[in-house]
């Protein structure tokens, strides 16, 4: 999947499943998702998880800092790109975004908004690394989503602390391209084309 295809899918299907336990892999695969982000596994099992989603034509991203046994360097990223073969990665680290892009992986850069300094440094970071999408956490800060939307061309994913559909709708109304949720009960919610459409 290339950047254009990924961005088009995000714009159409506005829900990403953040999978944090292996027992929920099947449930995530049954949902109508723009992508699955895996925050589980290790070097021994992760290829099987990635293949599981790819066989169902669901784009799959690895949250690198949560995958055991993979080094955060050029060789580790090359191993992921050429052997594990996810569509992309999620990371907070600028260097990993740059390394992943060189290996042809899609990138989602995760930013934690904890104060005004993190807002400013996050913008600078994204402008430097040019990821394929930005994930803002926690999601329940819709005014900051708008602030990023006014400055960046990059798709914005809102993630963290989303517990009900109304919260998901609110962040989409404030300019998020998609929402990322870790609660399997929310994966049954579908947001197609715009936040108000349910399939």
């Amino acid at each position: 999947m290339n950047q254009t295809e990924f961005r088009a899918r995000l714009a159409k299907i506005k829900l990403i499943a953040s999978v944090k336990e292996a027992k929920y892999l099947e449930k995530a695969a049954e949902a109508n998702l723009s992508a699955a982000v895996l925050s589980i596994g290790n070097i021994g099992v992760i290829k099987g998880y990635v293949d599981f989603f790819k066989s169902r034509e669901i784009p799959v991203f690895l949250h690198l800092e949560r995958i055991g046994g993979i080094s955060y360097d050029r060789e580790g990223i090359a191993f992921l790109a050429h052997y594990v073969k996810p569509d992309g990665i999620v990371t907070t680290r600028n260097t990993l975004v740059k390394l992943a892009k060189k290996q042809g992986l899609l990138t989602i850069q995760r930013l934690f908004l904890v104060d005004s300094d993190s807002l400013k440094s996050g913008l600078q970071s994204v402008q430097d690394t040019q990821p394929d999408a930005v994930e803002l956490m926690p999601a329940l800060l819709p005014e900051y989503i708008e602030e990023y939307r006014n400055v960046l061309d990059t798709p914005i994913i809102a993630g963290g602390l989303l517990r009900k559909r109304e919260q998901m709708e609110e962040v989409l109304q404030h300019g998020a391209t998609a929402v990322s949720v870790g609660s399997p009960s929310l994966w049954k919610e579908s947001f197609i084309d715009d936040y108000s459409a349910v399939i």
Side-chain angles (χ1 to χ4, degrees), residues 119 123 142-152 174:
L119 179 71
L123 275 171
E143 65 272 20
Y144 293 107
I145 294 170
E146 288 182 352
E147 196 164 328
Y148 270 74
R149 169 64 54 231
N150 291 334
V151 177
L152 299 176
H174 281 85

Side-chain angles (χ1 to χ4, degrees), residues 1 6 36 40 62 70 82 98 102 113 117 137 141 146 151-152 160 164 182:
M1 171 172 285
F6 174 56
I40 53 169
L62 302 181
I70 295 174
H82 301 291
K98 292 176 180 178
K102 286 180 182 175
L113 302 179
D117 288 340
M137 299 184 81
L141 298 168
E146 288 182 352
V151 177
L152 299 176
K164 52 191 177 182

Side-chain angles (χ1 to χ4, degrees), residues 63-102:
H63 182 185
L64 280 189
E65 289 89 339
R66 301 276 176 88
I67 309 296
I70 295 174
S71 60
Y72 304 142
D73 57 20
R74 186 175 58 199
E75 290 77 16
I77 301 300
F79 169 80
L80 279 180
H82 301 291
Y83 175 70
V84 180
K85 299 182 180 179
D87 292 283
I89 65 155
V90 176
T91 183
T92 59
R93 302 181 187 192
N94 290 13
T95 54
L96 293 180
V97 171
K98 292 176 180 178
L99 286 172
K101 288 176 70 166
K102 286 180 182 175

Side-chain angles (χ1 to χ4, degrees), residues 5-22:
E5 292 167 337
F6 174 56
R7 290 186 173 189
R9 187 174 175 106
L10 267 185
K12 181 179 180 187
I13 307 170
K14 300 181 171 296
L15 182 64
I16 294 172
S18 178
V19 184
K20 299 173 184 176
E21 294 183 61

Side-chain angles (χ1 to χ4, degrees), residues 83-183:
Y83 175 70
V84 180
K85 299 182 180 179
D87 292 283
I89 65 155
V90 176
T91 183
T92 59
R93 302 181 187 192
N94 290 13
T95 54
L96 293 180
V97 171
K98 292 176 180 178
L99 286 172
K101 288 176 70 166
K102 286 180 182 175
Q103 292 294 334
L105 293 169
L106 293 168
T107 56
I108 299 173
Q109 187 161 355
R110 181 173 283 178
L111 302 175
F112 292 97
L113 302 179
V114 295
D115 56 25
S116 56
D117 288 340
S118 66
L119 179 71
K120 183 178 177 183
S121 64
L123 275 171
Q124 291 171 340
S125 178
V126 169
Q127 289 167 336
D128 175 49
T129 59
Q130 298 289 308
D132 298 293
V134 176
E135 183 176 12
L136 298 182
M137 299 184 81
L140 303 179
L141 298 168
E143 65 272 20
Y144 293 107
I145 294 170
E146 288 182 352
E147 196 164 328
Y148 270 74
R149 169 64 54 231
N150 291 334
V151 177
L152 299 176
D153 244 355
T154 311
I156 294 172
I157 300 163
L161 302 180
L162 293 168
R163 295 182 179 164
K164 52 191 177 182
R165 181 181 174 89
E166 293 75 22
Q167 293 171 323
M168 298 160 75
E169 290 174 343
E170 182 180 8
V171 297
L172 291 169
Q173 285 176 317
H174 281 85
T177 307
V179 292
S180 176
V181 292
S183 172

